[in-house]
Amino acid sequence: MALARELMGLSLMEKSSFFASASSTRLVLKQNRSRSFLPLEGRRVQVVIRRSTTTPVAAISEDLDLDLVKVLPEKAVKFKVRAVVTVRNKNREDFKETLVKHLDAFTDKIGRNVVLELISTDFDPKTKAPKKSKEAVLKDWSKKSNLKTERVNYTAEFEVDSNFGTPGAITVNNKHQKEFFLESITIEGFASGPVHFPCNSWVQPRKDHTTKRIFFTNKPYLPHETPEGLKALREKELRELRGDGQGERKLCDRVYDFDVYNDLGNPDKGIDFARPLLGGDKIPYPRRCRTGRAPMDTDMKSESRVEKPLPTYVPRDEQFEESKMNAFSTGRLKAVLHNLIPSLMASISANNQDFKGFSDIDSLYSEGLLLKLGLHDEIMNKIQLPKAVTTIQEGGLLKYDLPKIVSKDKYAWLRDDEFARQAIAGVNPVSIERLQSFPPVSKLDPEVYGPQESALKEENIAGQLNGMTIQEALDANKLFIIDYHDIYLPFIDKINALDGRKSYATRTLYFLTDAGTLKPIAIELSLAPSSTKPNRVVTPPVDATTYWMWQLAKAHVCSNDAGVHQLVHHWLRTHATLEPFILAAHRQMSAMHPIFKLLDPHMRYTLEINGLARQSLLSVDGVIESCFTPGRYCMEISAAAYSSFWRFDQESLPADLIRRGMAVPDPTQPHGVKLVVEDYPYASDGLMIWGAIENWVRHYVNHYYSDSSRVCNDKELQAWYAESINVGHADLRHAEWWPTLATPEDLSSILTTLIWLASAQHAALNFGQYPYGGYVPNRPPLMRRLIPDENDPEYAIFLSDPQKYFFCALPSLLQATKFMAVVDTLSTHSPDEEYLGERHHQSIWSGDAEVIEAFYEFSAEIRQIEKEIEKRNSDSSLRNRCGAGVLPYELLVPSSEPGVTCRGVPNSVSI
């Protein structure tokens, strides 16, 4: 050993991986026997390192100069490694699926197997292809096919040689007749330790898809870092996911492509069922997932519809997993819409269309809705009712769970302070703005829509400002507004021409009290310029008549709020505008890309729920048109908001708060902003979650992108962002406000916004729908009467029985129960929900240990935020979330149990 150190140097001996220890290395000196023994300084020595199957072998010869070291590897040795393949079983199978499963078990024995091939990161210069193992077959498929467990582990054995290198990918060839869900593969036997392949994908049989499926290890690679052996596979996989843009997609396909919203109408049924195409120069809108269905017979630009309960296409891996499907697709929305609602229609007689009073509404929760005799068994056999519809008891009773808004104080919703509190702590806390000037001014064209100045006058509110002048109140940040004037006014005439729909363009003013709570001080009700009725202003009541006027005015505000909440803030801003980013991510970024790995849990189920929404909720005569005031014009209102209001650069929480005047920039604050209303539960809780997401994303991005050049030169990342804008948001692609993507800071900002929208923003807007809207008088989704004035024939009816008039203005019994059933479904967490701070394969989703550690820190921060929110909800000084009969604000509490809980922040837009 001393001789070797003298020859090769101490540092080389100690540091080289070839010389791991003295015990694992043999040094053999070969001396030329024809010469006499001489000191080594005068001899030529050859060092030969031979590999055995276990340890390197070094031999030293005198045939070369002392300073020359030559490495001569022995012939490669073959060895075996073992794969553990985890397949997830279906809990329920129909007869055909069971039959095919038994057939696959039989044919597996005779060679129609599941075949795997391991692929190295190394490139073989001889074959000019990646190094590959021999093919291996999954063992014991036929023996384990009848196991009833949720997951089944199969094994396979690969033979590789000692110069195979590091595994980087694996191909799967399914020769069975039936698809299967491949959850993960783990390879054991390499010296570097286990190699993980998180798969989470359906593997189609070869008869449906002839190409082998490709899965990559959990090790992330930026495009330029891709090992030689994986480059071609990386490109091949992306080409398959993009497809060729031709033909109709099959349900088993995995192709992601773009299309316009030309699937909402059904002109083949008649002109009344036609709906405008959304997306394009005429009506700008985000793009959706392309299905490639044939056009309608009567309109070549409209795509033919697939009606419920038949499934509509989304890429196979985007479809609900079984537990989610059981909770939603088969047992939830489709069942409710397809079976429950027709039964309700049959059970309600023509003379029983309206609620007669509060007792009728209360009976929906306490006694239930008596269904027509004979329908009880039919409904019980056909449908799996939502959780809120608790029982159909003997005699045919349909009961709903009591919504949270009336669970603590039955009459809280009637109070002005609760009406105002919901503007900052209810299901739609993102419409309110600080009033910057008085009176408010419209941005609509005055030549078309009349004077831009509001009908609100100083005398309407002067006595309600605690002795302040209007200017003093403005300067003190005491005046706030929810302004639905401009979004509704262009549609008012059309809406009011619909049967059973009546609406105003509304503005609502609020005053911030010294206690930190809001109070409504005026409501402006506007009709179109073509109306003979002047715009009117309603203020808090002073007598019995004005009390009921005020309640009707608030109901119209809530109806408008419900429409804007659903069509703009909820559907447009979290569902529709995210879909292009998701489609482009799958098309342009490899599953190996670290940014794809970051975004992956935040894209789960969104394409599927959006597809279901277009099929059943947003389409002609769907729930949205049936239950919301704008009726057939609902999606046109959503599109108008997209072109006039939506800006991606203002979708981050801090930017949105500043845009609405609800916060001001303040670099001394933790999130760079200071709230104008200190007790603003949505914003104060939201900023904590925003900050946690921002810190996690920044750490992740900086780990992979040390400087701007790495961002700019990442071809997949740049292609993703460019396609999201130029194709997915093609109608707004020339807008100057799109953020640039040139630095790690740019990337962190864009990703934080996307993750915020998919998780916390969507949760805040979605999971309170039944808890707040399930009691219809609190948030009526539509109104059927205008407020009468003294010249109206209805005024005498109103005076004689104002409560009856109030309930005639609200949705009918059928409309209310249909709406209640649907918002219950939409407010429900499924059993397989993944919440913020959680991930599938939590410890192995990335092969980067530092990233996994950072994610655990993010998870811990999310848990700490949950404790802080619970603490705030017990703080009696925070009157917008704590007090007698006041609901705590839990919509941004990260965790939740399954069901309707009014809390929980899932990772993605999944409902």
Side-chain angles (χ1 to χ4, degrees):
M1 184 60 68
L3 179 61
R5 292 191 184 202
E6 183 179 344
L7 280 168
M8 305 181 68
L10 177 62
S11 62
L12 178 61
M13 277 291 295
E14 290 182 341
K15 294 180 182 179
S16 172
S17 60
F18 276 98
F19 300 94
S21 66
S23 62
S24 63
T25 305
R26 286 192 294 121
L27 296 178
V28 182
L29 300 185
K30 295 184 177 180
Q31 195 174 23
N32 189 331
R33 295 185 183 275
S34 63
R35 301 180 187 176
S36 59
F37 183 82
L38 296 171
L40 284 171
E41 287 82 353
R43 304 180 187 180
R44 301 175 62 194
V45 179
Q46 182 183 26
V47 179
V48 182
I49 297 179
R50 296 191 181 99
R51 284 188 181 272
S52 69
T53 57
T54 55
T55 58
V57 178
I60 300 179
S61 171
E62 290 183 285
D63 297 333
L64 293 174
D65 290 332
L66 287 174
D67 58 351
L68 179 63
V69 177
K70 183 179 181 183
V71 179
L72 299 176
E74 285 191 347
K75 185 178 179 180
V77 176
K78 297 189 180 299
F79 64 98
K80 291 183 178 180
V81 295
R82 178 173 176 264
V84 178
V85 180
T86 303
V87 173
R88 188 185 302 163
N89 270 340
K90 279 190 173 182
N91 292 323
R92 297 179 183 177
E93 292 178 332
D94 59 27
F95 176 75
K96 181 181 178 182
E97 288 176 321
T98 303
L99 191 65
V100 174
K101 184 174 77 172
H102 288 308
L103 178 64
D104 282 340
F106 173 75
T107 57
D108 190 83
K109 296 178 181 179
I110 57 174
R112 293 182 63 173
N113 321 98
V114 176
V115 181
L116 291 77
E117 188 174 37
L118 200 58
I119 299 173
S120 172
T121 57
D122 293 346
F123 199 75
D124 190 334
K126 294 180 180 178
T127 62
K128 296 183 179 179
K131 296 178 180 178
K132 300 178 181 179
S133 70
K134 291 187 177 180
E135 289 187 339
V137 172
L138 278 195
K139 297 180 180 179
D140 298 330
W141 187 282
S142 58
K143 291 181 181 178
K144 295 181 178 181
S145 63
N146 288 322
L147 290 178
K148 301 300 182 184
T149 56
E150 184 180 2
R151 292 172 176 82
V152 179
N153 290 329
Y154 299 94
T155 59
E157 244 182 25
F158 295 99
E159 184 177 278
V160 296
D161 59 42
S162 51
N163 62 10
F164 178 80
T166 304
I170 195 166
T171 61
V172 181
N173 190 3
N174 179 10
K175 297 181 181 179
H176 290 167
Q177 295 294 306
K178 186 171 177 284
E179 67 176 6
F180 64 88
F181 189 83
L182 180 57
E183 190 169 270
S184 64
I185 302 173
T186 301
I187 308 294
E188 300 168 337
F190 285 97
S192 56
V195 182
H196 299 288
F197 295 81
C199 304
N200 297 309
S201 182
W202 289 96
V203 178
Q204 300 302 318
R206 189 170 60 178
K207 67 183 180 64
D208 293 327
H209 289 271
T210 56
T211 58
K212 298 177 181 178
R213 281 297 308 279
I214 304 166
F215 296 98
F216 298 104
T217 69
N218 61 351
K219 182 173 175 56
Y221 294 102
L222 293 173
H224 73 278
E225 297 172 337
T226 309
E228 284 295 322
L230 303 182
K231 285 182 177 178
L233 288 177
R234 184 169 187 152
E235 291 297 328
K236 180 175 184 288
E237 173 76 350
L238 285 174
R239 284 196 302 272
E240 290 180 359
L241 290 170
R242 292 183 196 122
D244 59 6
Q246 302 297 314
E248 182 174 352
R249 299 267 63 89
K250 297 182 292 185
L251 292 175
C252 59
D253 286 347
R254 292 172 58 245
V255 175
Y256 297 77
D257 206 352
F258 298 91
D259 207 345
V260 295
Y261 280 62
N262 62 350
D263 58 341
L264 301 180
N266 192 352
D268 286 358
K269 290 180 68 175
I271 189 65
D272 288 341
F273 295 89
R275 294 295 179 267
L277 183 151
L278 304 184
D281 294 337
K282 190 174 181 181
I283 306 180
Y285 211 63
R287 299 303 187 260
R288 63 169 175 95
C289 181
R290 179 185 178 275
T291 66
R293 294 196 299 266
M296 290 277 183
D297 293 336
T298 56
D299 183 359
M300 293 299 291
K301 292 183 178 179
S302 293
E303 186 173 88
S304 56
R305 289 189 51 75
V306 173
E307 300 294 352
K308 52 187 183 293
L310 296 175
T312 184
Y313 171 77
V314 292
R316 182 64 181 100
D317 289 341
E318 305 302 318
Q319 296 171 29
F320 289 159
E321 293 178 19
E322 191 173 13
S323 61
K324 176 79 169 181
M325 193 180 299
N326 290 339
F328 180 87
S329 194
T330 58
R332 289 283 185 175
L333 187 60
K334 289 183 180 179
V336 169
L337 300 178
H338 197 58
N339 298 291
L340 173 60
I341 289 168
S343 300
L344 286 172
M345 293 176 70
S347 70
I348 301 170
S349 62
N351 59 4
N352 190 29
Q353 287 295 306
D354 296 332
F355 292 109
K356 295 183 178 66
F358 292 107
S359 60
D360 281 1
I361 296 175
D362 295 342
S363 68
L364 292 174
Y365 315 109
S366 60
E367 299 172 13
L369 182 65
L370 185 63
L371 301 183
K372 184 178 286 187
L373 191 64
L375 291 176
H376 173 262
D377 291 339
E378 177 190 349
I379 291 176
M380 287 295 288
N381 291 333
K382 278 190 176 181
I383 67 175
Q384 198 175 0
L385 291 170
K387 183 177 182 298
V389 187
T390 51
T391 49
I392 295 184
Q393 301 168 337
E394 289 300 316
L397 291 175
L398 186 64
K399 289 175 66 175
Y400 294 83
D401 285 345
L402 191 67
K404 278 198 172 184
I405 184 60
V406 288
S407 64
K408 295 183 72 174
D409 183 347
K410 185 176 179 180
Y411 300 108
W413 66 276
L414 279 166
R415 298 197 316 264
D416 285 357
D417 63 289
E418 176 61 22
F419 171 78
R421 188 194 72 85
Q422 290 184 34
I424 55 175
V427 70
N428 179 22
V430 297
S431 283
I432 191 167
E433 302 175 62
R434 179 167 56 88
L435 188 62
Q436 315 247 3
S437 62
F438 186 88
V441 176
S442 171
K443 296 178 182 177
L444 297 175
D445 184 351
E447 293 186 4
V448 179
Y449 299 106
Q452 292 181 315
E453 192 169 286
S454 167
L456 286 161
K457 303 300 179 187
E458 186 171 348
E459 57 265 25
N460 298 133
I461 63 173
Q464 304 182 65
L465 305 180
N466 286 6
M468 290 182 171
T469 66
I470 291 178
Q471 191 57 52
E472 287 172 339
L474 288 172
D475 293 342
N477 296 333
K478 290 283 191 178
L479 288 175
F480 297 85
I481 186 171
I482 293 183
D483 191 343
Y484 293 143
H485 179 276
D486 286 7
I487 196 165
Y488 273 93
L489 194 65
F491 296 93
I492 283 295
D493 275 348
K494 295 178 182 178
I495 292 170
N496 289 337
L498 296 172
D499 185 33
R501 306 296 169 94
K502 290 294 181 280
S503 182
Y504 296 98
T506 59
R507 290 188 178 104
T508 310
L509 290 189
Y510 301 87
F511 179 76
L512 181 64
T513 69
D514 293 339
T517 58
L518 294 172
K519 68 174 183 178
I521 58 175
I523 296 173
E524 180 185 8
L525 305 167
S526 300
L527 295 172
S530 58
S531 172
T532 57
K533 294 185 178 182
N535 296 344
R536 61 195 296 184
V537 175
V538 182
T539 55
V542 295
D543 57 28
T545 301
T546 55
Y547 171 83
W548 283 105
M549 293 280 190
W550 180 244
Q551 293 301 334
L552 283 166
K554 289 196 299 181
H556 272 282
V557 169
C558 289
S559 173
N560 282 359
D561 190 71
V564 172
H565 161 260
Q566 197 69 265
L567 302 171
V568 179
H569 300 315
H570 179 206
W571 168 255
L572 174 67
R573 294 177 66 189
T574 64
H575 285 260
T577 54
L578 286 182
E579 186 160 349
F581 289 97
I582 294 170
L583 291 169
H586 285 279
R587 289 167 52 83
Q588 302 298 340
M589 286 195 291
S590 167
M592 287 189 284
H593 199 292
I595 301 306
F596 185 91
K597 288 181 179 292
L598 174 69
L599 289 176
D600 188 35
H602 306 289
M603 302 188 290
R604 186 182 188 222
Y605 291 155
T606 303
L607 297 184
E608 169 82 334
I609 193 62
N610 285 5
L612 287 170
R614 288 190 296 272
Q615 183 185 44
S616 301
L617 297 181
L618 306 171
S619 56
V620 57
D621 273 356
V623 171
I624 298 298
E625 287 194 2
S626 300
C627 291
F628 289 87
T629 297
R632 63 179 296 156
Y633 305 107
C634 279
M635 290 304 290
E636 291 182 58
I637 287 179
S638 181
Y642 177 67
S643 58
S644 65
F645 165 81
W646 185 82
R647 290 178 49 159
F648 183 76
D649 64 325
Q650 294 183 346
E651 287 296 281
S652 74
L653 178 58
D656 178 59
L657 292 171
I658 291 169
R659 178 186 62 81
R660 292 189 284 120
M662 299 303 292
V664 293
D666 187 344
T668 67
Q669 296 295 312
H671 309 292
V673 295
K674 179 178 175 59
L675 294 178
V676 172
V677 179
E678 186 176 344
D679 183 16
Y680 183 1
Y682 157 78
S684 55
D685 292 359
L687 283 170
M688 288 195 297
I689 293 178
W690 169 269
I693 296 171
E694 186 177 44
N695 290 337
W696 153 237
V697 171
R698 185 188 301 115
H699 183 104
Y700 190 94
V701 166
N702 289 341
H703 182 72
Y704 294 103
Y705 298 91
S706 56
D707 53 48
S708 297
S709 64
R710 290 174 72 86
V711 173
C712 294
N713 295 328
D714 186 334
K715 62 178 184 179
E716 287 184 7
L717 181 72
Q718 295 293 336
W720 161 69
Y721 190 56
E723 186 172 67
S724 298
I725 296 170
N726 296 324
V727 181
H729 288 278
D731 307 328
L732 300 181
R733 66 188 181 277
H734 297 305
E736 295 180 354
W737 43 254
W738 282 104
T740 57
L741 179 53
T743 68
E745 292 75 22
D746 295 340
L747 179 56
S748 295
S749 175
I750 291 165
L751 295 173
T752 302
T753 298
L754 291 173
I755 293 172
W756 159 259
L757 292 171
S759 57
Q761 179 78 319
H762 178 260
L765 295 168
N766 183 75
F767 293 104
Q769 291 190 82
Y770 186 81
Y772 282 96
Y775 189 75
V776 169
N778 180 56
R779 283 178 66 79
L782 65 82
M783 294 294 286
R784 297 185 293 152
R785 298 283 189 279
L786 296 175
I787 303 174
D789 59 34
E790 295 178 0
N791 300 318
D792 290 328
E794 293 181 321
Y795 190 71
I797 300 172
F798 165 72
L799 287 179
S800 64
D801 194 340
Q803 179 175 298
K804 181 180 179 181
Y805 189 93
F806 179 80
F807 281 103
C808 286
L810 295 183
S812 68
L813 184 57
L814 170 61
Q815 290 166 331
T817 50
K818 176 193 286 191
F819 175 75
M820 289 163 62
V822 171
V823 293
D824 164 65
T825 300
L826 299 180
S827 303
T828 300
H829 290 294
S830 65
D832 71 338
E833 203 87 90
E834 289 180 5
Y835 297 96
L836 197 61
E838 300 175 350
R839 281 197 71 134
H840 202 50
H841 301 304
Q842 185 109 336
S843 61
I844 62 165
W845 63 269
S846 172
D848 194 317
E850 184 179 332
V851 162
I852 295 293
E853 182 62 30
F855 182 76
Y856 282 129
E857 292 175 5
F858 169 62
S859 300
E861 188 174 359
I862 293 296
R863 291 193 295 271
Q864 191 60 41
I865 288 171
E866 182 161 327
K867 293 178 181 177
E868 176 60 25
I869 292 174
E870 291 171 357
K871 182 180 174 183
R872 290 176 178 182
N873 283 331
S874 301
D875 186 345
S876 59
S877 68
L878 301 176
R879 301 187 186 187
N880 292 316
R881 62 196 308 159
C882 182
V886 175
L887 290 184
Y889 187 74
E890 297 181 313
L891 286 168
L892 288 176
V893 173
S895 71
S896 175
E897 296 297 319
V900 180
T901 63
C902 202
R903 61 179 284 162
V905 180
N907 277 323
S908 62
V909 178
S910 59
I911 191 71

